[in-house]
Amino acid sequence: MIGGLFIYNHKGEVLISRVYRDDIGRNAVDAFRVNVIHARQQVRSPVTNIARTSFFHVKRSNIWLAAVTKQNVNAAMVFEFLYKMCDVMTAYFGKISEENIKNNFVLIYELLDEILDFGYPQNSETGALKTFITQQGIKGQTKEEQSQITSQVTGQIGWRREGIKYRRNELFLDVLESVNLLMSPQGQVLSAHVSGRVVMKSYLSGMPECKFGMNDKIVIDKQGKGGTTDDPGKSGKQSIAIDDCTFHQCVRLSKFDSERSISFIPPDGEYELMRYRTTKDIILPFRVIPLVREVGRTKLEVKVVIKSNFKPSLLAQKIEVRIPTPLNTSGVQVICMKGKAKYKASENAIVWKIKRMAGMKESQISAEIELLPTNDKKKWARPPISMNFEVPFAPSGLKVRYLKVFESKLNYSDHDVIKWVRYIGRSGIYETRC
Amino acid sequence: MTDSKYFTTTKKGEIFELKAELNSDKKEKKKEAVKKVIASMTVGKDVSALFPDVVNCMQTDNLELKKLVYLYLMNYAKSQPDMAIMAVNTFVKDCEDPNPLIRALAVRTMGCIRVDKITEYLCEPLRKCLKDEDPYVRKTAAVCVAKLHDINAQLVEDQGFLDTLKDLISDSNPMVVANAVAALSEIAESHPNSNLLDLNPQTINKLLTALNECTEWGQIFILDCLANYTPRDDRESQSICERVTPRLSHANSAVVLSAVKVLMKFMEMLPKDLDYYGTLLKKLAPPLVTLLSAEPELQYVALRNINLIVQKRPEILKHEMKVFFVKYNDPIYVKLEKLDIMIRLASQANIAQVLAELKEYATEVDVDFVRKAVRAIGRCAIKVEQSAERCVSTLLDLIQTKVNYVVQEAIVVIKDIFRKYPNKYESVIATLCENLDSLDEPEARAAMIWIVGEYAERIDNADELLESFLEGFHDESTQVQLQLLTAIVKLFLKKPTETQELVQQVLSLATQDSDNPDLRDRGYIYWRLLSTDPVAAKEVVLAEKPLISEETDLIEPTLLEELICHIGTLASVYHKPPSAFVEGSRGVQHKRLPARAGSGESAESPDVGQSGPAEAPPAVIPSQGDLLGDLLNLDLAPPTATIPSVQPSMQMGAMDLLGGGLDSLMGDESDTLGGDIGGSPSMGAGLGAAPAAMPAALGSAPAVGGGLGDLFDLGGGVGMPTGAYVAPKTVWLPAMKAKGLEISGTFARRGGIIQMDLSLTNKAMSVMTDFAIQFNRNSFGLAPAGPLQVLTPLSPNQTIDVSLPLSTSGPVMKMEPLNNLQVAVKNNIDVFYFSCQYPLSLLFVEDGKMERQVFLATWKDIPNDNEAQFQIKDIHLNSDAASNKLQGSNIFTIAKRTVEGQDMLYQSVKLTNAIWVLAEMRIQTGNPNYTLSIKCRAPEVSQFVYQCYELVLKN
């Protein structure tokens, strides 16, 4: 299991060091600093083996988190744990920075003692941790409170405590999708997929039982066969094929596996209910058509057209097109129909920004790039043109059909809960080769 | 509120100040001081001098302060064991505290203090905590047993904690179960043979129930533990799989990977024709793909594992090529891994896309990545024959870019392409020669020199080119020097007239001016070859080379199996067994996949026939070399059972000659290839399929073998009354040729043992003694498994019958005809040579019955070009009698079909070197002529298999 956990600043100074196993010595701290943080070349692997000791590291801004072991540990688990550790720290004191870590080092040690025992990860749900790891101490607890804490930390529903009360029962569902595209210069889709997340903010009293439904093709088809759907003609078209999905640990996986229904008791507050991935029938909100012409050895002509491909009534926002330029660019002249475009020498790119754009429109930019003559034999690699945007719909076509809430012990029903649903589609890696 | 100030105190006399503060009456001040101490400890300052003062602060009801003091104790107790005792009382008291959080904290911390005296005091509190009413305390105590075991294993056993821990597996709280499982698994690892984790269907059921209820981490512990279980039968295996599959939808990637591990392992036991097997295969792909949208570090772990999974079960991800396309912003370690998997998944169906991608990658910035992309193009050419032409033209395009490292890499891979497809793409040589000057890496230079030497007759100025390299001979690396030597010798043999001077120059450079023994030796060998017998030299140096195989970096199957059992762990990331990087007894235990139910074969053998690419049919037998010379050089001392182990060195020496230094040219790749595929060094010549372990085992124990083999026969054969046919003895060595010694003999296979039955007759006037026998290298590695047992001297006119057991673990070389065997026999008079031919049925092994499914798949898989048809005339047997007769010679009938009065028998035969031969025999009632169709990956054996059929059926 994990033998020790170190946190370093960007200079390689130790901020936190907690050793769990006897086989990890103090020299391990230095070994990582010398061989990884101070190494000259770029990081070649997130797992490093130095003198039969393995180091796993992740980096958050300029902070290094490293887990050390001498055993054949579950590597996936170690990384998941490091991410979780970051989440927990963020939930406690915000951004992970040198200052925040120094300011909270006592708390961090306390957390590390709790969520990692002899290198074995223990319950690391912030909701549960916050009930008994506080900076105030837990002096004033009654016996009932204490046993409630322990049963929650070890219990089946470790992510939610009993006795939560809200005057207004409310929930927010955000369907957040990032659409990824790799397109050839000729407009052929090389690969495209949507990775989506359903994020839920729940402010519900008691221990509510929830059921979530969406236009999953498998569910809809099953219902269609039974003949119970309200509008069979329509549902067939609108359902989507989900390649794969994963759920927060509150979701009963065996029930999903057998009935494909998503039922759970949600954590309180914000959390990620599910992630999913689709590859079929994706709505690509924008199409980028590049045209690059090399005029002699010292000049390039670039023309890029973008077309929006969604309902005209909808508006896309924060549109940004990034057109890479060669390293030996000396000057750029840009003309664009809409928005603003600038050549950013430090980033070797022309950045074209448009605030808003409605569906079924098109816009174009043309640029003349002057090049310095070089004797570098190597041709310019032509990185792809990338794009950023935000659209108010789900490019996968996913629709939330219902989210039902049942709490039998308290006197509120599904109808009393105020529910909000929002769809946001963003660009993931949205690239067109040129 | 901010604690960062504690990090900044660096003034002198700090320790004294802290001491004062720690002894202060004010609680706040005390706490501040302890915080400062911890901060100093973190940055590596030695604050152990404050030990008594800090321990004094331990007795407090402030939990935060208590935790800080405990943290200090864990760090320094070991260096101050005597003083640590001061803390014991507080610990023992805390273990009785009404607050479960404090009880747990005390037992947790005590376990971390590695001082003998403290551990003694730990036992009683721990025993209580293991039975505590609060689950939080129990789950902490469970881990504490593992801690204590790490300090003092004997104590844990003596105190009976292991049994208590086992009881916790049935605890009502899932987290207690999970921690108990984790602790037990770890303890069991250091006692490989103990039956600590006594997994039986009942405990498995408990674990599976807890799996649904515990935290994500607990699920990982349980799944990793489940992976160590071996189900009793395929039904149990299926039911566990069914209960594990829902985990594939968990948000935690480690849960998913551990579930994949369990499924991959248990799947081995499911029959392949089961519907559920197919369903399971389909279910595995989506979660694996989803892992690629995790954070980059996890992607890396996932990709390293997918690399293994793709090698074990290529069918799972064969349609998912696109998800492995490299993204511009991927970290380099993700890019390199994706590239590896792309090549593994490349097939005729997707090759166009793959090539387009690879070409794109070859223009990227990162040098390593670009090199790998270029190399990948070459590997595609070798793997997918249809794409070879496209690949070559892509490589030529890349050479035109003139980017130095791209050109060099391209030349290295083109050399491999030449070796795979001889006489096809040599037209590009001219383009390659243009880039001679830009080559500065040894590997590229060596590759180019090899090309020039190999195709010297087509390159007009080959001599000039090679001469230009010769100028700086001593500055070159060994690899290049060896290659240059060989290339010039090749050139000389092809164009002797104009290159005499050159060859003399290189030979003297290599033999006289070099201090590298390899180079000198090779130089001398060439020199002597050329001076004694130029014709032989030509045969040796310009011999036809075995084709290279398609997959050059497959992980060796047994290692792959072990790694599959370690999915998700570091071993699967490093692609090394745990013993390679873990110290001590942990991880020494080798894990293996379970065998499929109902078949006695090991798990991987049914796959052998199916996974086409792993076998390289053309390379089954290395080509014929200088036989005669080899035979003469044989050391004819009476051979002993150790012969197989003596051979390798000889074999390797000979290979060098034959290949003209191919080994060095192919670099590491060919080395691992030889080692991996051949399985033993003596097979270094690249025997396609790994020889079954059986012949080797037979060779080592020939005396007992006979009896044992017979036993096996009883078990295996049901209707096998006839037994194998043994031909009558024929005269192999007439007395005229052997100074009065006449040898006649025949071959037989009895109970799995190959025997050579000899009759030695002395037709001379004097007594013969000191008999010994030796074989030349032959197609199937036949070699005497023991000495020739002629115990008494052979008097004139006496005949003696001897039976010589043979093994098939000898050195291999292709013979003409295939079943030719050259034998040398020595006695006190002289050494005599003769050759004889053995029936191939000698090599048909007892476990040659293929499963029906495998047979079907293999039959389809073997190209139709490999099918041969024969007529067997004048057989008056019905199909049952025929199949019975054939079974006696280990030709097994798998299925029989009757179509329109015609009986079709489907039969399989396995040779000792694991080559499968499949046959279809058509028998028409009333027609004495049978039609026999034979399919085999090594078509050259078909003819001889047919001879066996005829022999067996006619006698």
Side-chain angles (χ1 to χ4, degrees):
Chain A
M1 278 308 116
I2 297 174
L5 209 139
F6 308 131
I7 302 180
Y8 302 84
N9 66 8
H10 66 287
K11 284 186 265 179
E13 292 165 352
V14 194
L15 303 178
I16 298 284
S17 112
R18 175 76 159 92
V19 174
Y20 293 93
R21 296 275 173 138
D22 202 36
D23 53 6
I24 302 299
R26 183 83 201 175
N27 53 351
V29 186
D30 303 322
F32 182 75
R33 180 192 9 251
V34 172
N35 288 292
V36 181
I37 302 182
H38 291 172
R40 296 238 170 127
Q41 4 147 272
Q42 198 190 351
V43 175
R44 285 275 151 180
S45 158
V47 186
T48 324
N49 193 313
I50 307 162
R52 291 202 154 215
T53 310
S54 300
F55 295 81
F56 299 75
H57 74 264
V58 300
K59 234 184 138 184
R60 288 289 180 271
S61 61
N62 53 13
I63 298 295
W64 299 75
L65 283 94
V68 195
T69 183
K70 283 209 166 183
Q71 298 179 19
N72 181 31
V73 298
N74 188 320
M77 184 185 79
V78 176
F79 280 122
E80 283 284 2
F81 177 78
L82 288 174
Y83 301 142
K84 196 72 183 195
M85 173 81 204
C86 293
D87 291 349
V88 171
M89 290 198 289
T90 316
Y92 267 95
F93 52 76
K95 193 172 168 266
I96 296 174
S97 64
E98 179 169 356
E99 201 185 340
N100 278 345
I101 287 172
K102 281 184 170 175
N103 280 339
N104 294 283
F105 83 96
V106 175
L107 169 74
I108 294 174
Y109 277 122
E110 203 176 326
L111 284 169
L112 281 177
D113 200 37
E114 185 59 45
I115 59 179
L116 209 53
D117 190 3
F118 200 43
Y120 290 108
Q122 303 292 306
N123 193 336
S124 46
E125 285 298 312
T126 350
L129 289 171
K130 278 192 169 170
T131 59
F132 69 107
I133 295 192
T134 58
Q135 288 283 266
Q136 277 73 49
I138 47 163
K139 249 190 291 178
Q141 286 163 340
T142 63
K143 200 153 187 227
E144 287 73 49
E145 280 173 330
Q146 286 164 4
S147 72
Q148 202 195 317
I149 290 170
T150 58
S151 79
Q152 196 206 329
V153 173
T154 60
Q156 290 183 26
I157 308 166
W159 54 87
R160 188 181 181 92
R161 64 189 168 90
E162 302 237 12
I164 296 172
K165 276 211 176 67
Y166 286 102
R167 219 148 41 91
R168 201 159 86 137
N169 288 299
E170 199 169 14
L171 66 86
F172 299 84
L173 271 181
D174 282 348
V175 177
L176 307 172
E177 295 197 337
S178 79
V179 50
N180 298 277
L181 170 75
L182 184 61
M183 198 176 247
S184 76
Q186 292 76 34
Q188 185 196 0
V189 176
L190 296 173
S191 74
H193 74 273
V194 167
S195 55
R197 304 186 297 144
V198 178
V199 174
M200 183 173 174
K201 270 181 233 156
S202 73
Y203 304 106
L204 301 168
S205 311
M207 297 297 259
E209 180 71 40
C210 298
K211 212 173 162 189
F212 175 66
M214 53 190 177
N215 56 342
D216 177 0
K217 193 164 187 296
I218 297 176
V219 177
I220 305 266
D221 287 356
K222 229 198 287 182
Q223 286 174 351
K225 266 183 214 155
T228 49
T229 29
D230 24 358
D231 196 353
K234 220 174 159 190
S235 60
K237 251 186 232 163
Q238 285 186 341
S239 62
I240 62 160
I242 293 175
D243 286 26
D244 188 36
C245 47
T246 60
F247 297 99
H248 185 266
Q249 58 170 322
C250 66
V251 175
R252 294 183 188 92
L253 294 179
S254 34
K255 209 156 178 190
F256 178 75
D257 194 57
S258 56
E259 303 163 24
R260 218 170 159 90
S261 75
I262 304 166
S263 64
F264 53 97
I265 296 174
D268 194 40
E270 183 172 338
Y271 73 102
E272 190 179 286
L273 174 65
M274 71 177 282
R275 277 179 186 227
Y276 57 91
R277 191 165 45 80
T278 73
T279 47
K280 285 203 188 73
D281 302 324
I282 294 168
I283 309 160
L284 295 170
F286 286 95
R287 165 93 203 270
V288 177
I289 305 152
L291 200 78
V292 180
R293 211 158 63 92
E294 287 175 41
V295 188
R297 290 185 59 90
T298 56
K299 204 167 145 192
L300 271 181
E301 277 180 10
V302 180
K303 198 171 105 180
V304 176
V305 180
I306 58 166
K307 283 185 179 169
S308 60
N309 177 33
F310 45 87
K311 269 192 238 159
S313 58
L314 299 173
L315 274 180
Q317 291 184 337
K318 300 177 190 168
I319 301 148
E320 186 186 291
V321 182
R322 185 171 283 267
I323 305 160
T325 55
L327 297 173
N328 54 337
T329 302
S330 61
V332 175
Q333 282 159 321
V334 212
I335 313 161
C336 57
M337 285 159 53
K338 217 177 160 200
K340 280 178 190 159
K342 239 189 211 165
Y343 165 63
K344 296 196 172 169
S346 58
E347 295 166 36
N348 288 312
I350 300 167
V351 180
W352 176 25
K353 285 184 180 170
I354 305 171
K355 274 194 187 136
R356 263 177 230 97
M357 187 163 169
M360 308 313 277
K361 288 265 167 37
E362 83 172 61
S363 186
Q364 86 168 45
I365 184 172
S366 41
E368 271 188 26
I369 303 171
E370 309 267 342
L371 303 175
L372 289 170
T374 58
N375 43 13
D376 191 3
K377 266 193 209 161
K378 200 185 165 193
K379 258 175 56 182
W380 176 47
R382 284 207 189 182
I385 296 176
S386 60
M387 207 182 157
N388 288 312
F389 54 81
E390 198 178 295
V391 288
F393 60 89
S396 69
L398 182 128
K399 290 257 160 40
V400 175
R401 288 170 61 219
Y402 56 80
L403 199 151
K404 291 177 193 153
V405 181
F406 310 94
E407 167 54 285
S408 47
K409 286 182 195 148
L410 299 174
N411 57 347
Y412 71 94
S413 74
D414 185 41
H415 296 291
D416 303 328
V417 181
I418 306 159
K419 300 168 189 169
W420 306 85
V421 182
R422 180 166 65 155
Y423 298 91
I424 301 174
R426 290 198 183 100
S427 51
I429 293 164
Y430 204 85
E431 294 177 339
T432 308
R433 288 187 180 149
C434 60
Chain B
M1 187 59 210
T2 62
D3 288 342
S4 56
K5 59 175 184 281
Y6 304 118
F7 281 89
T8 53
T9 51
T10 49
K11 44 187 194 257
K12 274 186 188 169
E14 188 193 3
I15 298 279
F16 292 102
E17 264 176 47
L18 280 173
K19 211 176 178 91
E21 283 174 42
L22 284 169
N23 291 317
S24 154
D25 297 333
K26 287 184 191 141
K27 273 187 184 169
E28 266 316 296
K29 202 151 194 187
K30 260 190 187 179
K31 199 162 125 186
E32 295 282 288
V34 177
K35 280 189 182 179
K36 278 185 207 165
V37 173
I38 301 289
S40 312
M41 191 177 88
T42 299
V43 296
K45 274 185 231 163
D46 184 14
V47 283
S48 58
L50 295 166
F51 200 88
D53 309 281
V54 177
V55 172
N56 271 337
C57 304
M58 191 170 159
Q59 294 239 15
T60 171
D61 51 357
N62 182 321
L63 200 57
E64 195 191 359
L65 180 58
K66 192 170 236 145
K67 283 183 179 171
L68 288 173
V69 175
Y70 280 179
L71 189 61
Y72 179 88
L73 267 175
M74 284 187 264
N75 258 300
Y76 287 116
K78 224 178 160 186
S79 57
Q80 312 256 344
D82 296 330
M83 290 214 245
I85 297 298
M86 291 161 60
V88 165
N89 264 334
T90 323
F91 278 127
V92 175
K93 219 173 86 196
D94 279 356
C95 285
E96 309 269 322
D97 197 279
N99 185 342
L101 292 173
I102 293 188
R103 291 203 296 277
L105 178 64
V107 80
R108 185 165 69 209
T109 314
M110 256 179 118
C112 296
I113 295 176
R114 307 177 63 92
V115 174
D116 284 341
K117 282 176 191 156
I118 290 208
T119 35
E120 281 167 30
Y121 287 99
L122 174 62
C123 292
E124 276 323 298
L126 178 59
R127 197 185 314 283
K128 269 187 212 155
C129 288
L130 280 167
K131 303 232 159 96
D132 201 285
E133 51 168 24
D134 194 294
Y136 183 76
V137 181
R138 289 202 302 276
K139 71 114 183 160
T140 313
V143 177
C144 191
V145 176
K147 292 180 189 169
L148 190 58
H149 186 270
D150 193 35
I151 304 169
N152 190 340
Q154 197 55 47
L155 186 68
V156 170
E157 275 171 48
D158 296 346
Q159 296 278 335
F161 285 138
L162 293 181
D163 294 323
T164 324
L165 203 53
K166 274 191 213 166
D167 294 342
L168 288 184
I169 290 189
S170 316
D171 200 279
S172 59
N173 184 293
M175 192 153 178
V176 177
V177 178
N179 276 3
V181 167
L184 275 175
S185 305
E186 178 163 347
I187 296 171
E189 236 175 78
S190 50
H191 294 278
N193 298 319
S194 73
N195 198 19
L196 201 53
L197 258 171
D198 174 30
L199 294 174
N200 53 48
Q202 284 80 39
T203 44
I204 291 293
N205 199 30
K206 279 176 203 154
L207 293 183
L208 285 168
T209 313
L211 185 61
N212 287 323
E213 294 164 350
C214 61
T215 65
E216 44 194 330
W217 314 116
Q219 297 186 17
I220 300 169
F221 306 153
I222 292 178
L223 287 168
D224 284 352
C225 173
L226 274 179
N228 289 326
Y229 177 64
T230 311
R232 309 209 156 158
D233 51 28
D234 48 335
R235 275 233 215 94
E236 191 187 2
S237 169
Q238 180 176 345
S239 85
I240 296 176
C241 287
E242 278 165 359
R243 292 177 70 180
V244 167
T245 34
R247 297 299 120 198
L248 294 175
S249 309
H250 202 287
N252 187 313
S253 310
V255 175
V256 176
L257 267 178
S258 291
V260 168
K261 165 165 58 191
V262 175
L263 296 175
M264 282 292 285
K265 196 175 163 191
F266 290 8
M267 220 162 144
E268 287 293 318
M269 293 187 65
L270 300 178
K272 284 196 169 177
D273 45 354
L274 196 70
D275 284 348
Y276 182 70
Y277 180 83
T279 321
L280 200 55
L281 275 182
K282 271 190 212 124
K283 276 195 175 174
L284 276 171
L288 288 173
V289 173
T290 299
L291 290 175
L292 298 183
S293 41
E295 288 85 346
E297 292 87 3
L298 266 175
Q299 276 188 50
Y300 174 73
V301 174
L303 285 165
R304 294 291 286 175
N305 280 288
I306 288 172
N307 199 326
L308 298 173
I309 293 168
V310 164
Q311 287 183 58
K312 181 73 195 161
R313 298 195 177 279
E315 64 272 32
I316 295 179
L317 287 166
K318 66 177 176 215
H319 299 303
E320 302 288 350
M321 169 62 89
K322 276 188 179 177
V323 300
F324 298 102
F325 284 179
V326 169
K327 295 190 186 115
Y328 192 71
N329 294 326
D330 281 336
I332 183 68
Y333 51 80
V334 169
K335 284 185 177 173
L336 292 171
E337 292 307 316
K338 279 188 175 172
L339 197 51
D340 240 11
I341 295 170
M342 279 174 68
I343 305 163
R344 293 209 192 284
L345 291 178
S347 66
Q348 204 184 332
N350 56 25
I351 195 74
Q353 266 185 322
V354 174
L355 268 182
E357 283 293 310
L358 292 176
K359 200 176 170 186
E360 200 71 41
Y361 304 160
T363 59
E364 283 228 28
V365 197
D366 190 283
V367 177
D368 282 353
F369 180 60
V370 171
R371 282 175 178 276
K372 199 161 181 173
V374 176
R375 208 161 266 230
I377 296 174
R379 274 168 67 185
C380 283
I382 289 166
K383 195 171 170 194
V384 185
E385 187 165 359
Q386 292 80 357
S387 77
E389 196 156 346
R390 281 243 278 300
C391 295
V392 171
S393 80
T394 310
L395 287 169
L396 283 179
D397 285 352
L398 290 172
I399 288 176
Q400 298 303 345
T401 64
K402 304 276 176 197
V403 179
N404 193 288
Y405 53 86
V406 174
V407 174
Q408 308 210 37
E409 207 64 47
I411 286 182
V412 174
V413 295
I414 285 181
K415 177 242 344 180
D416 286 345
I417 296 177
F418 282 172
R419 288 210 46 201
K420 171 78 185 181
Y421 309 109
N423 304 320
K424 222 164 162 191
Y425 300 110
E426 282 73 10
S427 53
V428 307
I429 290 176
T431 323
L432 302 185
C433 290
E434 288 165 19
N435 293 287
L436 224 51
D437 302 333
S438 62
L439 308 179
D440 52 13
E441 289 160 23
E443 203 184 351
R445 287 173 84 83
M448 192 64 221
I449 293 170
W450 181 85
I451 292 172
V452 175
E454 186 68 18
Y455 299 101
E457 68 274 26
R458 310 187 194 191
I459 306 171
D460 296 337
N461 58 344
D463 48 342
E464 285 168 37
L465 294 177
L466 291 176
E467 199 171 0
S468 70
F469 281 104
L470 208 54
E471 283 161 19
F473 188 77
H474 288 297
D475 302 328
E476 299 283 3
S477 74
T478 316
Q479 188 185 9
V480 181
Q481 289 175 334
L482 285 169
Q483 206 42 254
L484 198 50
L485 172 60
T486 306
I488 292 179
V489 172
K490 280 185 195 165
L491 174 71
F492 171 70
L493 289 168
K494 287 173 179 174
K495 300 180 182 172
T497 44
E498 56 258 55
T499 56
Q500 209 149 8
E501 207 172 301
L502 196 61
V503 82
Q504 258 159 13
Q505 204 182 338
V506 77
L507 286 175
S508 80
L509 275 172
T511 53
Q512 284 157 26
D513 302 344
S514 168
D515 44 12
N516 181 323
D518 286 346
L519 186 62
R520 270 206 317 265
D521 285 356
R522 195 185 284 185
Y524 279 126
I525 290 172
Y526 283 147
W527 202 327
R528 280 178 200 158
L529 259 177
L530 292 173
S531 56
T532 48
D533 186 354
V535 182
K538 205 161 185 169
E539 268 177 56
V540 172
V541 179
L542 302 181
E544 208 174 297
K545 277 157 281 299
L547 295 179
I548 56 173
S549 108
E550 353 200 305
E551 294 280 353
T552 43
D553 56 349
L554 284 175
I555 294 176
E556 190 239 330
T558 47
L559 177 61
L560 182 62
E561 287 207 358
E562 191 180 352
L563 293 180
I564 290 285
C565 298
H566 286 293
I567 283 179
T569 68
L570 264 181
S572 71
V573 174
Y574 294 146
H575 289 184
K576 283 178 190 159
S579 52
F581 59 92
V582 175
E583 282 165 2
S585 61
R586 280 190 182 121
V588 172
Q589 215 176 342
H590 288 280
K591 296 190 180 181
R592 272 188 65 81
L593 291 175
R596 181 148 295 146
S599 85
E601 289 169 300
S602 70
E604 78 268 39
S605 63
D607 285 354
V608 169
Q610 286 193 320
S611 59
E615 282 180 290
V620 168
I621 295 164
S623 56
Q624 197 164 6
D626 188 1
L627 295 183
L628 203 67
D630 214 20
L631 198 58
L632 286 168
N633 285 334
L634 288 181
D635 179 9
L636 279 167
T640 56
T642 55
I643 280 196
S645 65
V646 181
Q647 299 293 11
S649 59
M650 190 180 102
Q651 170 81 353
M652 265 153 62
M655 256 324 273
D656 239 1
L657 272 178
L658 284 174
L662 289 175
D663 46 346
S664 68
L665 193 113
M666 292 199 31
D668 296 338
E669 276 178 14
S670 80
D671 285 348
T672 48
L673 173 77
D676 285 349
I677 295 190
S680 69
S682 63
M683 300 291 166
L687 188 70
M694 205 183 72
L698 287 179
S700 61
V704 211
L708 268 178
D710 279 340
L711 274 179
F712 285 137
D713 262 357
L714 286 179
V718 185
M720 186 196 284
T722 39
Y725 160 75
V726 178
K729 284 180 181 166
T730 50
V731 176
W732 284 337
L733 182 69
M736 306 249 295
K737 283 192 176 173
K739 301 187 179 162
L741 176 68
E742 186 186 75
I743 300 179
S744 58
T746 184
F747 293 93
R749 188 181 179 89
R750 298 189 184 100
I753 308 279
I754 303 170
Q755 282 174 329
M756 186 183 198
D757 294 342
L758 295 168
S759 293
L760 309 175
T761 311
N762 184 351
K763 295 197 169 168
M765 305 306 288
S766 57
V767 177
M768 293 178 182
T769 54
D770 299 333
F771 284 96
I773 192 163
Q774 177 81 293
F775 294 173
N776 192 9
R777 289 189 277 167
N778 53 70
S779 312
F780 294 93
L782 283 174
L788 191 60
Q789 300 280 355
V790 185
L791 299 174
T792 47
L794 197 59
S795 339
N797 276 329
Q798 192 192 355
T799 300
I800 192 168
D801 286 335
V802 193
S803 210
L804 179 73
L806 305 183
S807 76
T808 51
S809 52
V812 174
M813 180 167 57
K814 186 173 176 173
M815 300 292 289
E816 197 56 49
L818 202 64
N819 59 345
N820 195 18
L821 181 68
Q822 296 179 326
V823 185
V825 171
K826 192 198 93 157
N827 61 11
N828 57 335
I829 299 166
D830 204 342
V831 181
F832 310 106
Y833 302 99
F834 65 90
S835 69
C836 53
Q837 292 179 4
Y838 49 91
L840 214 63
S841 57
L842 211 55
L843 305 159
F844 297 176
V845 295
E846 276 67 24
D847 65 346
K849 189 160 184 171
M850 218 177 217
E851 275 175 62
R852 274 176 185 226
Q853 292 299 324
V854 183
F855 182 90
L856 274 176
T858 314
W859 183 274
K860 277 189 210 141
D861 208 38
I862 299 176
N864 282 334
D865 297 347
N866 285 12
E867 185 169 340
Q869 258 200 15
F870 304 96
Q871 289 284 331
I872 309 174
K873 288 183 181 154
D874 287 313
I875 307 291
H876 300 281
L877 290 168
N878 67 10
S879 57
D880 285 345
S883 96
N884 227 357
K885 211 163 182 184
L886 289 168
Q887 186 161 353
S889 296
N890 293 335
I891 299 170
F892 297 96
T893 305
I894 293 164
K896 181 181 155 185
R897 206 150 60 102
T898 311
V899 185
E900 297 168 359
Q902 205 177 23
D903 283 343
M904 322 262 262
L905 296 180
Y906 295 94
Q907 299 169 320
S908 76
V909 168
K910 187 181 167 191
L911 301 187
T912 46
N913 56 358
I915 292 180
W916 286 93
V917 181
L918 311 185
E920 181 202 58
M921 191 157 74
R922 264 177 276 169
I923 304 171
Q924 202 141 25
T925 20
N927 184 350
N929 295 347
Y930 293 0
T931 312
L932 181 69
S933 304
I934 295 178
K935 254 188 164 185
C936 177
R937 285 186 202 283
E940 57 267 51
V941 304
S942 303
Q943 170 76 30
F944 300 95
V945 173
Y946 155 67
Q947 286 175 4
C948 296
Y949 265 87
E950 199 163 47
L951 217 59
V952 171
L953 289 172
K954 288 197 172 165
N955 291 287

